[in-house]
Amino acid sequence: MADNLPSEFEVVVLGTGLPESIVAAACARSGQRVLHVDSRNYYGGNWASFSFSGLLSWIKENQQKTDLGDECEDWKKLILEDEEAIPLSRKDKTIQHVEDFCFGDQDSAEGVEEAGALPKLPVLGASGAKGVSLESEKECPAVESPCLEPESREPELGTEPVGATEGNGAGTTSGTESSPGESTLEVGQTEAAPSETPTQEPKKITYSQIVREGRRFNIDLVSKLLFSRGLLIDLLIKSNVSRYAEFKNATRILAFREGKVEQVPCSRADVFNSRQLTMVEKRMLMKFLTFCLDYEQHPEEYQDHESSTFAQFLQTRKLTPSLQHFILHSIAMVSETESRTLEGLQATKKFLQCLGRYGNTPFLFPLYGQGEIPQCFCRLCAVFGGIYCLRHPVRCLVVDKASGRCKAIVDHFGQRISANYFIVEDSYLSESTCTNVCYRQISRAVLITDQSVLNTDAEQQVSILTVPPVELGKPAVCVIELCSSTMTCMKDTYLVHLTCPSTQTAREDLEPVVQKLFNVNAEKETENEELEKPRVLWAVYFNMRDSSGVEKNSYSGLPPNVYVCSGPDSALGNDCAVKQAETIFKEMFPAEEFCPPPPNPEDIIYDEDEIEPEESGLSNPAETKPEPSAEGSSDGGAAAVTKEE
């Protein structure tokens, strides 16, 4: 396959994480020849999503401590006398302390298998515009997402529901119909003060059922949401990449206070309909939120407190303890001990500005998981001629001694591929290159539970909850709970993601929070007070490297035309990845527009002798797409990857 690869490109990208995929798409869109490779056999890197069996394979791979030796050094013969090689890492070392636990009967799952763990993706050796298959654990819908449109088509708050997914009565659309069998972006209508329903006996889910229904799970390695007015949503709309994905509105914001989970009123209607707040508290809250929307116009209100923490500033505003808690942990979502007043005001304003664009909360979640987003940008790159190769390790970067610039890579086939610019994901760099780099860590946990942390009349809820620090010196923990209508878990289960900056191992950081919110005892050992909590069926803890914020000059000996992309950061949104991608693209091609909208094929005028090649480069013909496997067509996951424009 390597023999068929061209030997010259403008840009070579190593790694298929979100920032690398955005850069690759932007380069291909501006007319550059792009080669995009990944040593892994799946797209997304640490931004990927897996089926349950795929995640088990990933866990097993990362629990193995074996270090890959350099079996063959023939590639060194390709390095000339006036060149030097920068070796790349053979093993991804960004994941540590992986521990998984099953709280059910694992023996009952013996002999039960899920087909299709870690999919075998075709290596693309020709132009990615033909037969592009970017499926992860299933093929992803390539339908238009009607609600991700410019400002003029934003839905009004209180839009009357016209459709729902899997019985979710809160789902609405913005007035456009979807294709048969396809969901549109849902605009969640959060109930202002839903009454808690009496705890019903949840259906008993066994481990063997989870294994058997494993393809209904799409489990993200990194847990994030999209701010409705964030940089990523703006980029998806501008570049028209939104047509490759579907989204669901996060339906509620929760708070954990005095040992109980409560719903936080967000919009004006929520505040005045809330039964949790007194009339005085409602007026106080609305007055403060109104101030936050234009706090820059009233510097006299906060300038004396700029050196104080946001928590201390809230105390000066004569807010009740419950309002201070809601604002600090559920609206601003900033640190109680570290975040200053201006940071808290900025975060609160951003939250409020995002309300109402697609629903009563500021957040959207991509159906089938966060791992869909990098693949969407890979599709755009492939449509404009990008070439994709998975399972394609690269041995080294080749540097010209005279100019100090990188001129080529050498892959594991021994092929030398030249380019002008090189984008490298941080995990590809060797320890010698990263000697002076100080990395942070992210603690992650993923749970499969049998019921929601807050049961209400509506079962299909996408919830975000910030749990305050359990003890002094510990970070707050962000909890995102996903229901089955997000296409990330099987029916009658919930997928719960926990994330925080690391202070110890992931289990040590997050297990105290898990024990507060969930029942982690074996079924026979459950005490009466634990019966009301959701039961954890399965869990995994791991630490992930956070390379965001690392300056390029921290890496040793990197040429100026080699750019490093970081992995996921601990923030809730994706702004860091988008900013990084745009910065790198502008440094390489300052005169080019970053991810402009693709042309409408109907508006393009072709020369007679260019009609055929241009048409084949602007679309992915349906007849060239590989047929989906029988496993890939199961319910809850599969849909066509491409769609003729």
Side-chain angles (χ1 to χ4, degrees):
M1 182 63 70
D3 294 337
N4 297 328
L5 284 176
S7 59
E8 292 186 3
F9 292 87
E10 269 87 29
V11 181
V12 171
V13 184
L14 308 184
T16 53
L18 181 57
E20 305 95 84
S21 299
I22 294 175
V23 174
C27 291
R29 179 65 188 89
S30 66
Q32 312 300 322
R33 290 175 297 167
V34 178
L35 173 64
H36 200 172
V37 302
D38 200 327
S39 59
R40 306 170 180 90
N41 61 348
Y42 53 87
Y43 285 87
N46 284 348
W47 303 79
S49 302
F50 293 100
S51 70
F52 186 70
S53 68
L55 185 65
L56 294 181
S57 299
W58 179 88
I59 290 171
K60 184 177 180 181
E61 178 184 334
N62 282 279
Q63 286 175 336
Q64 295 173 347
K65 301 298 182 183
T66 55
D67 196 5
L68 297 175
D70 202 345
E71 301 173 358
C72 179
E73 297 188 355
D74 289 347
W75 60 270
K76 292 185 177 180
K77 299 176 183 177
L78 299 174
I79 310 301
L80 306 179
E81 291 184 2
D82 60 344
E83 299 171 342
E84 61 180 346
I86 300 178
L88 298 177
S89 177
R90 296 284 310 279
K91 183 175 175 62
D92 183 359
K93 299 180 180 179
T94 60
I95 305 296
Q96 297 177 323
H97 310 301
V98 183
E99 303 176 75
D100 62 311
F101 303 91
C102 178
F103 297 91
D105 183 10
Q106 274 187 292
D107 294 336
S108 65
E110 189 173 347
V112 179
E113 294 185 358
E114 171 206 324
L118 283 179
K120 297 181 179 179
L121 297 173
V123 177
L124 303 181
S127 173
K130 291 190 176 182
V132 179
S133 178
L134 293 174
E135 47 198 318
S136 174
E137 293 304 319
K138 75 276 160 259
E139 296 181 24
C140 312
V143 300
E144 277 197 54
S145 193
C147 289
L148 281 188
E149 295 291 344
E151 300 286 328
S152 61
R153 295 188 58 187
E154 289 176 14
E156 298 281 339
L157 275 179
T159 302
E160 185 175 347
V162 294
T165 300
E166 287 196 18
N168 180 10
T172 71
T173 67
S174 69
T176 52
E177 296 182 358
S178 62
S179 301
E182 296 172 341
S183 302
T184 59
L185 182 150
E186 295 187 11
V187 184
Q189 295 264 356
T190 308
E191 295 181 11
S195 58
E196 292 190 29
T197 57
T199 304
Q200 298 179 354
E201 186 70 25
K203 293 184 179 179
K204 185 176 180 181
I205 304 295
T206 63
Y207 182 71
S208 60
Q209 284 178 277
I210 294 175
V211 173
R212 187 180 300 110
E213 300 288 335
R215 289 193 64 80
R216 295 186 182 273
F217 289 88
N218 287 291
I219 304 172
D220 293 321
L221 295 184
V222 60
S223 177
K224 290 183 177 290
L225 295 174
L226 284 72
F227 281 90
S228 65
R229 295 187 190 274
L231 295 180
L232 184 54
I233 287 291
D234 291 343
L235 182 61
L236 288 168
I237 295 172
K238 173 188 173 185
S239 62
N240 207 17
V241 170
S242 59
R243 71 187 188 275
Y244 295 133
E246 297 175 281
F247 300 85
K248 185 175 178 65
N249 185 230
T251 54
R252 60 185 182 177
I253 312 292
L254 304 178
F256 184 76
R257 184 168 172 266
E258 298 177 352
K260 294 183 179 180
V261 178
E262 303 174 347
Q263 183 162 339
V264 177
C266 295
S267 67
R268 182 185 295 270
D270 288 347
V271 170
F272 286 105
N273 289 329
S274 173
R275 298 176 183 175
Q276 303 164 258
L277 305 177
T278 66
M279 187 59 66
V280 173
E281 284 181 317
K282 292 176 182 180
R283 292 195 187 100
M284 294 168 65
L285 180 59
M286 288 305 304
K287 181 179 179 181
F288 180 76
L289 296 181
T290 303
F291 156 70
C292 289
L293 275 173
D294 60 351
Y295 72 91
E296 298 98 335
Q297 309 301 320
H298 306 282
E300 71 280 358
E301 298 277 350
Y302 63 85
Q303 59 187 6
D304 293 338
H305 306 280
E306 288 187 22
S307 59
S308 306
T309 65
F310 187 53
Q312 292 170 337
F313 173 70
L314 291 177
Q315 293 172 3
T316 68
R317 303 294 297 187
K318 300 179 181 179
L319 298 168
T320 63
S322 61
L323 291 182
Q324 292 178 38
H325 183 95
F326 287 163
I327 294 168
L328 183 66
H329 296 295
S330 301
I331 296 179
M333 300 184 193
V334 294
S335 169
E336 186 173 356
T337 56
E338 297 178 6
S339 299
R340 298 296 164 189
T341 297
L342 278 178
E343 183 183 347
L345 290 173
Q346 290 165 359
T348 304
K349 180 177 179 178
K350 180 178 180 179
F351 181 99
L352 296 172
Q353 287 178 326
C354 292
L355 286 173
R357 188 177 192 186
Y358 298 115
N360 273 9
T361 73
F363 306 111
L364 296 174
F365 180 79
L367 296 188
Y368 303 103
Q370 173 76 26
E372 292 299 288
I373 304 300
Q375 293 188 65
C376 290
F377 285 99
C378 289
R379 290 187 183 102
L380 179 64
C381 178
V383 165
F384 285 92
I387 295 177
Y388 279 82
C389 291
L390 296 182
R391 300 186 296 277
H392 200 96
V394 175
R395 297 293 194 218
C396 71
L397 303 173
V398 181
V399 181
D400 180 68
K401 291 181 179 179
S403 65
R405 292 177 64 84
C406 184
K407 58 194 297 188
I409 60 169
V410 177
D411 67 15
H412 70 142
F413 290 113
Q415 183 180 5
R416 182 176 170 130
I417 301 172
S418 302
N420 298 327
Y421 299 98
F422 300 84
I423 317 298
V424 183
E425 200 260 313
D426 175 86
S427 66
Y428 282 78
L429 299 176
S430 64
E431 291 183 3
S432 60
T433 304
C434 302
T435 303
N436 301 323
V437 178
C438 183
Y439 292 113
R440 294 167 295 189
Q441 297 287 326
I442 303 170
S443 290
R444 289 276 294 114
V446 182
L447 317 176
I448 299 175
T449 66
D450 64 349
Q451 57 180 316
S452 174
V453 291
L454 182 64
N455 286 316
T456 60
D457 296 332
E459 292 182 4
Q460 296 297 314
Q461 300 275 12
V462 178
S463 310
I464 175 170
L465 164 67
T466 301
V467 179
V470 177
E471 59 186 66
L472 195 64
K474 289 278 190 178
V477 175
C478 177
V479 181
I480 297 176
E481 183 185 72
L482 305 172
C483 59
S484 60
S485 66
T486 61
M487 308 302 177
T488 59
C489 56
M490 61 181 281
K491 189 178 180 181
D492 298 320
T493 65
Y494 287 82
L495 193 64
V496 183
H497 292 273
L498 295 90
T499 308
C500 73
S502 299
T503 58
Q504 304 177 78
T505 68
R507 185 181 176 190
E508 291 170 330
D509 281 338
L510 299 174
E511 195 170 50
V513 175
V514 172
Q515 291 173 344
K516 281 178 176 292
L517 296 173
F518 303 97
N519 172 14
V520 294
N521 298 317
E523 194 170 5
K524 296 178 182 178
E525 302 171 359
T526 301
E527 299 178 2
N528 290 335
E529 60 267 20
E530 294 288 308
L531 288 174
E532 296 181 1
K533 297 180 180 178
R535 192 164 71 91
V536 178
L537 307 173
W538 182 87
V540 62
Y541 298 88
F542 59 91
N543 289 92
M544 178 183 289
R545 178 194 293 177
D546 179 2
S547 53
S548 63
V550 176
E551 298 293 334
K552 185 180 177 181
N553 55 19
S554 301
Y555 299 102
S556 302
L558 281 186
N561 62 331
V562 175
Y563 300 90
V564 181
C565 286
S566 66
D569 62 346
S570 60
L572 179 62
N574 299 273
D575 284 4
C576 179
V578 178
K579 287 178 181 176
Q580 187 178 60
E582 184 170 8
T583 299
I584 291 173
F585 178 80
K586 287 297 185 183
E587 287 185 20
M588 293 189 297
F589 308 107
E592 298 288 343
E593 183 181 357
F594 179 64
C595 280
N600 187 337
E602 297 177 358
D603 298 335
I604 300 175
I605 301 175
Y606 304 108
D607 294 334
E608 289 185 4
D609 56 343
E610 294 181 354
I611 290 179
E612 291 301 322
E614 286 296 324
E615 284 183 349
S616 63
L618 282 171
S619 64
N620 287 332
E623 64 271 18
T624 63
K625 186 178 73 64
E627 289 295 324
S629 61
E631 295 86 350
S633 60
S634 61
D635 289 341
V641 175
T642 57
K643 177 181 179 182
E644 285 192 274
E645 298 296 339

